[in-house]
Amino acid sequence: MFTHIILGARDLPRLTAFYDTVLAPLGLERLDLADDGGPPGSMWVMPGRRWPQFFVQLPFNGLPATWGNGTQVSFAAPSPAAVDAAWRALVASGGTDEGAPGLRLHYDPDYYGAYGRDPEGNKLCFVHAGGLEGRTAPA
């Protein structure tokens, strides 16, 4: 559906540490970025895969990063336990609770999700549901 998502960062080291902790239960790993002439950033992918990519990065235009009202980045989780772990990591790492883990039957009978915001206000969702092919639990 997408190749990459970039969220602007005001405090790149803080957001990098936050996402290292929050994305680990989902099986995502941070890769070192080569200098491509753009602003500094951090990138995460599934091990052994090139796409899709998730970035936090200083904005290209040099203006301060802001969160998007109505914007949400949703991450596929390999299990309900991974949803729980990612959400707990979010709350423990300076994020804000926007909806504790649980079934959301109004979305789908097996939609298990949790919601929160990163330390800069970006809204996140972690979800496990049928049809998320190719997802396996992290080793």
Side-chain angles (χ1 to χ4, degrees), residues 6-12 38-41 56-66 120:
I6 301 172
L7 293 179
R10 292 186 303 271
D11 184 340
L12 184 59
V56 292
Q57 187 171 28
L58 300 178
F60 274 82
N61 65 6
L63 298 174
T66 59
E120 294 193 5

Side-chain angles (χ1 to χ4, degrees), residues 17-119:
F18 173 84
Y19 282 105
D20 277 345
T21 302
V22 170
L23 298 179
L26 305 178
L28 298 171
E29 64 182 13
R30 181 164 43 104
L31 297 181
D32 292 328
L33 293 175
D35 183 358
D36 64 358
S42 298
M43 177 181 79
W44 292 263
V45 296
M46 290 297 298
R49 295 189 58 189
R50 182 175 175 200
W51 308 100
Q53 303 165 346
F54 174 72
F55 292 84
V56 292
Q57 187 171 28
L58 300 178
F60 274 82
N61 65 6
L63 298 174
T66 59
W67 54 269
N69 187 23
T71 300
Q72 175 179 287
V73 178
S74 300
F75 293 94
S79 66
V83 171
D84 295 346
W87 182 83
R88 281 192 310 270
L90 176 140
V91 172
S93 299
T96 305
D97 171 18
E98 291 274 327
L103 283 171
R104 304 301 200 275
L105 300 176
H106 54 286
Y107 294 141
D108 210 44
D110 66 348
Y111 185 105
Y112 188 88
Y115 300 86
R117 292 189 183 269
D118 73 17

Side-chain angles (χ1 to χ4, degrees), residues 112-130:
Y112 188 88
Y115 300 86
R117 292 189 183 269
D118 73 17
E120 294 193 5
N122 297 294
K123 190 167 184 184
L124 307 174
C125 173
F126 312 109
V127 63
H128 175 76

